[in-house]
């Protein structure tokens, strides 16, 4: 199922990445087919799948020191 979610904002320790490409991991498939409780307390979601990605940092929290806006990340 696809659904719209609000655009995230970066907390003090967070970065926001504009995703350029995203792959599907085996754990994504296991969760999708109900064979893995990964990511949520009861294993029933909601969970946004797709953690194998690359993109560009578009926002960084005030305490982030390892990357800056414009950095390419994976």
């Amino acid at each position: 199922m696809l659904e719209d979610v609000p655009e995230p904002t970066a907390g003090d320790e967070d970065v926001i990445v504009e995703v350029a490409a995203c792959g599907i991991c085996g754990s994504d498939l296991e969760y999708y087919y109900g064979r893995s409780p990964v990511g949520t307390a009861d294993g029933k979601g909601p969970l946004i799948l797709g953690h194998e990605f690359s993109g560009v940092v578009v926002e960084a929290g005030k305490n982030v020191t390892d990357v800056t806006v414009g950095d390419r990340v994976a």
Side-chain angles (χ1 to χ4, degrees):
M1 172 175 68
L2 296 176
E3 64 182 86
D4 288 326
V5 297
E7 291 288 327
T9 57
D12 292 346
E13 310 289 330
D14 302 325
V15 297
I16 304 297
V17 176
E18 182 178 294
V19 175
C22 181
I24 297 173
C25 178
S27 61
D28 292 334
L29 291 175
E30 292 298 306
Y31 181 85
Y32 180 79
Y33 287 113
R35 297 188 292 250
S36 173
V38 68
T40 64
D42 63 3
K44 298 181 192 291
L47 181 68
I48 297 173
L49 300 176
H51 57 267
E52 306 286 346
F53 63 89
S54 64
V56 177
V57 175
V58 294
E59 185 180 340
K62 69 179 182 179
N63 296 332
V64 174
T65 59
D66 294 342
V67 295
T68 59
V69 171
D71 284 352
R72 294 183 293 174
V73 295

